[in-house]
Amino acid sequence: MKICIFGAGAIGGYMGVKLAQAGADVSLVARGPHLAAMNEKGLTLIEEDKDPVTVPVTASDNPADLGPQDYVIVTLKAHSVPPVVPKMQPLIGDNTTIVSGVNGVPWWYFHKIGTDLEGTRLATVDPGNAQWDGFGPDRVLGCVVYPAAEVTEPGTIKHIEGNRFSLGEPDGSKSDRALALSKALSAAGLKAPVRPRLRDEIWVKLWGNLSFNPISALTHATLDVLCTDPGTRAVAKGMMLEAQEIAEKLGVKFPIDVERRIDGGAAVGAHRTSMLQDLDQGRPMEIDALVGSVQELGRVTETPTPTIDTVLALIQLRGRTAGLYG
Ligand SMILES: NC(=O)C1=CN([C@@H]2O[C@H](COP(=O)(O)OP(=O)(O)OC[C@H]3O[C@@H](n4cnc5c(N)ncnc54)[C@H](OP(=O)(O)O)[C@@H]3O)[C@@H](O)[C@H]2O)C=CC1
Ligand SMILES: CC(C)(CO)C(=O)C(=O)O
């Protein structure tokens, strides 16, 4: 089984080391100094309570070097995917599965959803239908990424917590391709359950990213603070309740309530969300995938989103004034 991880930064690099250690036929697409370091000295993973490990990896910035794959696991930031769809084509053969390991509402959300919204495209996450037309939705296997990791220096990944990558077919079936990838990831020491209702998990994760991420980038507060400060907790709750109304109209069942989700965020502690880290480091923020997409779904489902609209306007302008958005 040939697996290529496209965008082998923090999450893709973590997965890459684990798969390489388990002897999988895995290759990585990356770029710049991180790619150069991987090719020079291998990819290093630092995990708590373990000695750092460095593994030799097959890595390139040119997918044509790697050829058609059984699985392409996309672990780019959401806004980086549409522009690279043409560049990814050499990785795609007749039976290639694309695994979308990207936060936010996935571009394939309405593929095989089984309602009258079947086939609806989302401009916020797939402008110009780049992925829908360039990959084809039948290739897609969904994935919710739970681990936290970061690239601490070129060629080095620090794992922070978690090892679960939930997988799910758009139609909820336990397909052979989902089960085979689950087996390969499990053999690498990762948790990879195949879920019949992946969209429910997408929304529980998205609840936090939708609200905590922009609030943290706007306030520079860590999760423990923004989830317990009465004012910002109320803003997060307002956004999440609007999202819940949208999601329930789309058939999602939430296994927990908003208060419990916010308490879970607080329990993570003094974490600077990825959007705050991106802002601080001058990198584009995943505003469209995490917040704009939920506003778009509000329009699709005719659900008012006044709190989401307000926070989205603020974070978009924050991004523009920092030269990182739009
Ligand atoms: N990190 C985390 O803890 C978590 C992340 N996620 C989600 O996972 C996804 C990936 O995040 P993360 O791993 O943090 O992101 P990273 O930025 O660390 O990884 C993406 C990598 O792809 C590279 N890249 C971008 N464009 C190209 C290109 N055209 N060709 C080759 N390489 C390219 C980037 O290089 P460069 O740096 O040069 O741009 C970077 O090394 C996001 O959607 C994120 O929200 C989900 C849960 C937790
Ligand atoms: C905020 C958090 C921890 C989950 O909601 C996250 O995923 C992020 O920092 O992007």
Side-chain angles (χ1 to χ4, degrees):
M1 177 191 291
K2 281 172 77 73
I3 302 175
C4 177
I5 299 175
F6 199 112
I11 293 298
Y14 168 61
M15 242 185 179
V17 171
K18 291 288 183 186
L19 284 165
Q21 275 187 306
D25 183 355
V26 62
S27 58
L28 310 179
V29 177
R31 66 182 179 186
H34 182 53
L35 172 64
M38 284 195 271
N39 278 332
E40 199 181 312
K41 58 181 174 70
L43 182 56
T44 298
L45 176 65
I46 300 170
E47 289 181 280
E48 204 170 54
D49 299 331
K50 290 187 186 166
D51 289 333
V53 290
T54 300
V55 294
V57 287
T58 302
S60 175
D61 58 3
N62 182 7
D65 292 344
L66 307 171
Q69 305 289 317
D70 296 304
Y71 295 88
V72 178
I73 304 178
V74 181
T75 52
L76 292 161
K77 295 281 189 165
H79 44 262
S80 302
V81 191
V84 299
V85 173
K87 191 179 167 188
M88 293 172 69
Q89 295 304 316
L91 301 170
I92 301 175
D94 290 345
N95 298 311
T96 304
T97 297
I98 309 273
V99 183
S100 180
V102 175
N103 267 352
V105 178
W107 62 271
W108 55 263
Y109 193 88
F110 290 105
H111 178 57
K112 294 196 173 163
I113 193 168
T115 71
D116 57 2
L117 288 170
E118 181 66 44
T120 300
R121 318 287 173 92
L122 292 169
T124 43
V125 285
D126 195 22
N129 301 320
Q131 296 166 87
W132 195 288
D133 294 342
F135 297 145
D138 284 328
R139 291 191 184 282
V140 166
L141 184 60
C143 178
V144 179
V145 174
Y146 290 97
E150 57 184 281
V151 178
T152 50
E153 61 177 297
T156 300
I157 311 295
K158 183 174 178 202
H159 172 257
I160 296 158
E161 53 141 15
N163 69 348
R164 180 153 57 102
F165 293 85
S166 290
L167 303 174
E169 286 286 353
D171 67 2
S173 61
K174 290 217 167 194
S175 64
D176 289 346
R177 66 181 186 177
L179 293 169
L181 183 63
S182 168
K183 196 170 162 196
L185 294 174
S186 303
L190 301 168
K191 288 189 184 139
V194 179
R195 300 292 200 200
R197 294 183 57 86
L198 193 72
R199 289 178 184 83
D200 293 356
E201 281 196 33
I202 288 171
W203 278 96
V204 173
K205 174 113 207 274
L206 182 60
W207 250 355
N209 290 134
L210 159 77
S211 55
F212 305 155
N213 290 35
I215 293 172
S216 70
L218 289 166
T219 61
H220 285 225
T222 51
L223 270 183
D224 50 348
V225 175
L226 75 87
C227 289
T228 51
D229 172 84
T232 48
R233 185 176 175 107
V235 176
K237 183 174 174 182
M239 297 177 83
M240 291 163 79
L241 289 173
E242 289 167 14
Q244 181 171 358
E245 190 179 347
I246 294 166
E248 286 177 348
K249 285 183 185 174
L250 295 172
V252 166
K253 294 191 175 78
F254 285 85
I256 57 170
D257 67 14
V258 165
E259 298 290 353
R260 196 163 146 211
R261 181 70 178 87
I262 303 177
D263 289 343
V268 173
H271 171 69
R272 295 159 61 75
T273 71
S274 55
M275 196 175 277
L276 174 55
Q277 292 179 40
D278 287 340
L279 177 63
D280 276 353
Q281 291 169 29
R283 299 186 303 227
M285 296 176 278
E286 292 181 299
I287 296 174
D288 292 334
L290 304 186
V291 192
S293 58
V294 182
Q295 183 192 61
E296 186 175 2
L297 289 174
R299 305 294 183 264
V300 168
T301 55
E302 298 179 357
T303 312
T305 54
T307 319
I308 292 172
D309 296 349
T310 303
V311 174
L312 178 59
L314 294 172
I315 191 64
Q316 284 174 323
L317 187 54
R318 185 69 194 88
R320 279 190 206 105
T321 56
L324 301 174
Y325 180 77

